[in-house]
Amino acid sequence: MAERSRLHRQRKADKARHTAELIALLYAAVPPELAERLAADERYKDIITEALLR
């Protein structure tokens, strides 16, 4: 059971890290002023994260 929990936590951490990497790539692909606005507003991060997890 402990191994199963550990694997679940590891997968969750991997997914979060991958999502953060994709968001960073998105920010790098848009003009700096837009990236700044997106990064400053948590709602955009939540929307982007939800879209990436679909």
Side-chain angles (χ1 to χ4, degrees):
M1 184 68 149
E3 179 65 13
R4 188 172 174 184
S5 293
R6 185 190 68 75
L7 288 173
H8 176 73
R9 285 191 309 274
Q10 183 63 45
R11 280 194 300 270
K12 190 174 180 180
D14 289 347
K15 184 183 270 188
R17 187 171 29 261
H18 182 65
T19 300
E21 290 169 358
L22 290 173
I23 290 171
L25 288 171
L26 172 68
Y27 290 165
V30 298
E33 55 278 349
L34 177 56
E36 208 172 287
R37 284 198 347 240
L38 291 173
D41 193 331
E42 280 296 310
R43 291 175 302 165
Y44 290 117
K45 183 179 176 190
D46 293 341
I47 291 167
I48 293 165
T49 300
E50 285 180 35
L52 290 172
L53 295 177
R54 288 187 188 166

